[in-house]
Amino acid sequence: MAPDLRTRLGGTELPNPILTASGCAGSGRELAQFTDVSKIGAIVTKSVMLAPRAGRPTPRMAETSSGMLNSIGLQGPGIDAFLQRDLPWLLSRGARAVVSIAGSTVEEFGERAARLAGAAGVTAIEVNISCPNVEHRGQVFACDPVDAGAVIEAVRARARPEVPVFAKLSPDVTDIVAIARSCVSAGADGLSMINTLLGMVIDTETMRPALAGLTGGLSGPAIRPVAVRCVWQVSQALPGVPIIGMGGVMTGRDALELMLAGASMVSVGTAIFHDPSACARIVRELDEELARRGVEKASEIVGLAHEARAGRRS
Amino acid sequence: MTPARPPSESGPLQVRATVLTVRRVDAYHAITAVAPGIAARFRPGQFVAVAVGGPDTSMLLRRAFSIHDVRPDHGGTVEFVFAARGRGTRWLAGRRTRDVLDLVGPLGRPFPVPRDPVNCLLVGGGYGSAPLFPLAARLRERSCTVDFLLGAASGDRVFGALTARRTGRSATITTADGSFGVRGVVTDVLGQVIHDARTDVIYACGPMPMLRQVTALARRYDIPVQVAVEEAMACGIGVCMTCVLPVVGTDGVTRMVRSCVDGPVFRGELVRWDDIGTIPFDAFGAPGWEPRPRRAAAPDGGGARAGDGGEDGARGGDGGARGGDGARGRPGHGA
Ligand SMILES: Cc1cc2nc3c(=O)[nH]c(=O)nc-3n(C[C@H](O)[C@H](O)[C@H](O)COP(=O)(O)O)c2cc1C
Ligand code: FES
């Protein structure tokens, strides 16, 4: 019998636990040329700011071994264009939309949530707190438990009550559990992890940094063990809090690994650049991996690696 | 990785394409692969994005290459040309007949072709001339005349000189080292060629500095120019936002547009060449940017559609070409 991949996200039932990662699938439109977006668990849209943003200068990207660095700088048309154009399009295609929001002050995040509250059809909000806080000397919200909590509180207060709010955590912290706790106490309904790790590449021909922005976010399979570790630590400390795991997932096997560590859903980012139909393929592969292990429901294996003697299952 | 589902009539496909041949062409390599859907949809100027390194590759980003040729054999083949100078392109150069490549294409906006039978000058730098040959064929179908101006560092790097000589009304070659044709760069002789050929329209493809200079000269002679740019790309399909450059829209507003889907072909004069690698202060969404009143002065007096963001941005550029090759040149793109 085929395993049951259905997964609950707040009040919505997803057909499977595989999502796109924010910033790696636009708002789904381009992917629809290659894959049926309604068959992906949910589309997590690119983090949207209040106003249009031009982003950072180029070069914005450098390939690394099993990974890439990016410094896009949240280029996008702003929330009004998103609500007028992108969200309705996704809904018209029968896709489920998880809307990622970003901001540079606590108030901005709250405002964004309020704006979204006016829109129907949002499955969940993912709060990208890996942005510099202009009111705190540019310190990244996700690196400070107090700032992170303040953002989540502001968003939770103004979002529709039935729409779950997920805080997206950065791995670039000493104690990710402390940040996770603070977000959950501030009202986060779930946690997404991990965002990219800060990295740098120097071009040895030009002898200059490869990115115009000097540093960039590292993603791809190179970071997967970091993601597994973060999901493991947080799910150990906060059992029962839903986790969207991500970081270097290329195959169904990789998705299974993050689920075993404690993620109930898995986002796919950089893999999409390599294979525009990656999400559909990973759903298929996850299905096969579970079937091969005799697992009937995907939810059964979430966090299973934490159980003693997990390896004994046949 | 299997042929993707939606067989819509247009738009790109993801296919597993069997390699027919891998040839050396002077300093470059050319791969021909069987990809009927891509061949059928192709229009000159479009490109393919190729996964490199095989299963479990450590090279995650696709390499973008202009399509050089499509043929009806085996149901439809596509050919692309590249310089094997990085890890990914060296892996590609090592492919053999019957190997399978994961290709996505055809991608990008093609070169617009004139309605009337006019004199077209096709300017190429290095393997950037590759997409000019299918364009030339299309232009001839339209009863346009085609003159070529091809340049490179040395004779073995001028791609397609023989074909240009055989099929063009004229073909002028320049090399920096003087090993073939005129010593110098294409822009040294562009004015003379325009004059002799009575050029009405220019199409150009090659390195960015060349495109910038060709555009500047075309403006001086008041000739429309379509350029196919080479920007570093990660996805080729419009989702990653790495391949942006500042382009002026028909409404006069500069936007950071994606060269993979809004280009690679742009009207040369709409590209803000001097500002590539920066975010111009007046670009849509730049720090401190404020929406201007909708009908604010557009250079063409237009003020058409104020647009709302990156997506429609480059429509103003509605023309074009697609550039070079692989790895699109930039360091850091890894080739
Ligand atoms: C080009 C690019 C753009 C991204 N943009 C965003 C973004 O807008 N918001 C966000 O929360 N994360 C963004 N991310 C991070 C991803 O959502 C994801 O957390 C990270 O890349 C790790 O997953 P992956 O290895 O599967 O890509 C971006 C990543 C990449 C590579
Ligand atoms: S290469 Fe990814 S958006 Fe153009």
Side-chain angles (χ1 to χ4, degrees):
Chain A
M1 223 188 75
D4 181 358
L5 296 183
R6 287 174 302 171
T7 303
R8 278 218 92 72
L9 174 50
T12 311
E13 183 180 88
L14 313 182
N16 61 69
I18 303 300
L19 285 53
T20 62
S22 177
C24 300
S27 58
R29 219 183 279 244
E30 291 83 3
L31 285 195
Q33 302 176 105
F34 303 97
T35 192
D36 183 347
V37 289
S38 73
K39 299 224 165 90
I40 298 175
I43 303 291
V44 182
T45 56
K46 178 155 187 56
S47 295
V48 60
M49 304 284 287
L50 198 57
R53 286 254 296 207
R56 295 217 185 88
T58 55
R60 289 179 169 184
M61 172 274 298
E63 191 178 59
T64 63
S65 290
S66 298
M68 66 176 281
L69 278 191
N70 87 80
S71 85
I72 308 299
L74 298 179
Q75 179 175 346
I79 192 147
D80 291 335
F82 173 80
L83 289 176
Q84 272 163 30
R85 192 182 59 192
D86 297 332
L87 184 61
W89 181 87
L90 269 175
L91 300 177
S92 75
R93 289 302 175 102
R96 289 145 301 276
V98 173
V99 179
S100 171
I101 57 173
S104 35
T105 63
V106 170
E107 176 49 30
E108 252 186 71
F109 274 101
E111 220 170 286
R112 206 103 347 125
R115 202 69 76 87
L116 272 182
V122 175
T123 290
I125 298 175
E126 189 177 78
V127 191
N128 176 7
I129 51 176
S130 296
C131 313
N133 179 357
V134 298
E135 293 166 337
H136 190 165
R137 286 177 287 112
Q139 155 95 282
V140 172
F141 291 101
C143 296
D144 181 306
V146 176
D147 287 358
V151 168
I152 298 304
E153 206 175 306
V155 171
R156 186 59 282 177
R158 299 177 76 176
R160 290 192 183 201
E162 75 278 14
V163 174
V165 170
F166 276 61
K168 181 157 175 185
L169 307 184
S170 164
D172 283 336
V173 293
T174 321
D175 183 1
I176 195 165
V177 169
I179 310 283
R181 260 189 225 292
S182 171
C183 290
V184 170
S185 345
D189 303 284
L191 300 163
S192 299
M193 68 194 77
I194 55 175
N195 213 316
T196 53
L197 286 96
L198 197 62
M200 187 165 183
V201 168
I202 291 172
D203 182 328
T204 51
E205 293 305 316
T206 63
M207 305 204 214
R208 300 289 309 139
L211 300 183
L214 306 184
T215 61
L218 181 64
S219 63
I223 71 168
R224 195 192 319 129
V226 179
V228 174
R229 183 267 295 173
C230 290
V231 170
W232 171 280
Q233 288 179 331
V234 170
S235 76
Q236 179 102 316
L238 299 166
V241 176
I243 294 176
I244 302 176
M246 75 204 79
V249 173
M250 299 295 287
T251 65
R253 180 251 159 238
D254 301 342
L256 175 60
E257 185 182 11
L258 282 172
M259 293 177 79
L260 290 169
S264 48
M265 288 154 279
V266 172
S267 282
V268 176
T270 305
I272 293 173
F273 305 159
H274 184 73
D275 175 10
S277 46
C279 290
R281 174 176 55 76
I282 290 169
V283 170
R284 218 165 44 234
E285 290 169 354
L286 178 64
D287 186 272
E288 287 162 14
E289 298 281 354
L290 296 177
R292 188 138 49 82
R293 290 164 178 76
V295 177
E296 281 165 17
K297 283 174 70 74
S299 54
E300 282 171 29
I301 51 105
V302 173
L304 195 70
H306 292 271
E307 287 175 23
R309 302 176 65 248
R312 290 292 132 79
R313 281 181 67 101
S314 56
Chain B
M1 293 267 216
T2 31
R5 174 203 62 97
S8 64
E9 291 303 306
S10 61
L13 299 169
Q14 183 181 12
V15 299
R16 294 177 59 76
T18 303
V19 173
L20 266 186
T21 57
V22 184
R23 313 179 275 132
R24 265 210 89 112
V25 185
D26 298 323
Y28 307 114
H29 288 81
I31 289 186
T32 307
V34 181
I38 297 180
R41 290 160 189 229
F42 165 74
R43 280 154 68 208
Q46 291 185 299
F47 65 97
V48 284
V50 187
V52 295
D56 296 319
T57 180
S58 67
M59 294 177 278
L60 299 178
L61 306 183
R62 284 177 180 258
R63 273 49 174 175
F65 305 104
S66 322
I67 296 173
H68 166 243
D69 197 12
V70 302
R71 285 175 188 270
D73 340 356
H74 303 277
T77 65
V78 298
E79 182 172 83
F80 55 90
V81 178
F82 57 97
R85 60 177 173 204
R87 266 202 316 147
T89 44
R90 281 201 302 272
W91 179 86
L92 274 176
R95 295 309 89 207
R96 293 293 167 259
T97 303
R98 281 192 291 280
D99 284 352
V100 171
L101 290 176
D102 178 345
L103 299 186
V104 172
L107 293 165
R109 289 171 188 255
F111 288 110
V113 288
R115 236 171 266 122
D116 305 316
V118 296
N119 295 330
C120 303
L121 174 59
L122 278 49
V123 183
Y127 52 72
S129 52
L132 299 179
F133 296 98
L135 171 66
R138 179 111 176 79
L139 290 169
R140 279 191 299 265
E141 281 166 22
R142 295 269 177 135
S143 310
C144 293
T145 61
V146 173
D147 298 286
F148 285 98
L149 171 54
L150 307 181
S154 54
D156 62 341
R157 297 183 171 272
V158 180
F159 180 80
L162 287 181
T163 313
R165 291 223 155 129
R166 212 175 52 237
T167 63
R169 179 177 62 175
S170 73
T172 309
I173 312 293
T174 66
T175 51
D177 66 359
S179 56
F180 187 18
V182 182
R183 180 190 295 270
V185 294
V186 290
T187 39
D188 294 343
V189 298
L190 185 62
Q192 187 64 45
V193 173
I194 288 172
H195 182 263
D196 295 347
R198 300 175 166 277
T199 298
D200 298 307
V201 183
I202 296 175
Y203 294 92
C205 188
M208 296 293 240
M210 181 197 99
L211 298 180
R212 168 199 170 124
Q213 285 181 16
V214 169
T215 299
L217 282 167
R219 289 192 86 156
R220 189 179 311 161
Y221 293 98
D222 201 19
I223 297 173
V225 57
Q226 300 284 345
V227 300
V229 301
E230 292 185 10
E231 251 313 333
M233 295 186 184
C235 72
I237 61 169
V239 292
C240 75
M241 308 302 287
T242 63
C243 61
V244 300
L245 74 175
V247 174
V248 183
T250 43
D251 54 3
V253 175
T254 296
R255 295 184 180 79
M256 300 303 295
V257 307
R258 295 162 297 180
S259 51
C260 64
V261 291
D262 302 313
V265 175
F266 296 103
R267 264 163 60 194
E269 73 274 18
L270 298 180
V271 176
R272 290 182 54 174
W273 301 102
D274 293 344
D275 297 318
I276 288 177
T278 71
I279 303 293
F281 74 94
D282 58 344
F284 184 79
W289 178 89
E290 300 268 338
R292 286 192 295 169
R294 285 229 149 192
R295 323 264 253 70
D300 53 4
R305 196 178 40 161
D308 54 357
E311 176 150 309
D312 290 343
R315 295 281 160 101
D318 90 274
R322 167 210 146 48
D325 81 62
R328 278 127 180 270
R330 290 241 177 146
H333 185 54

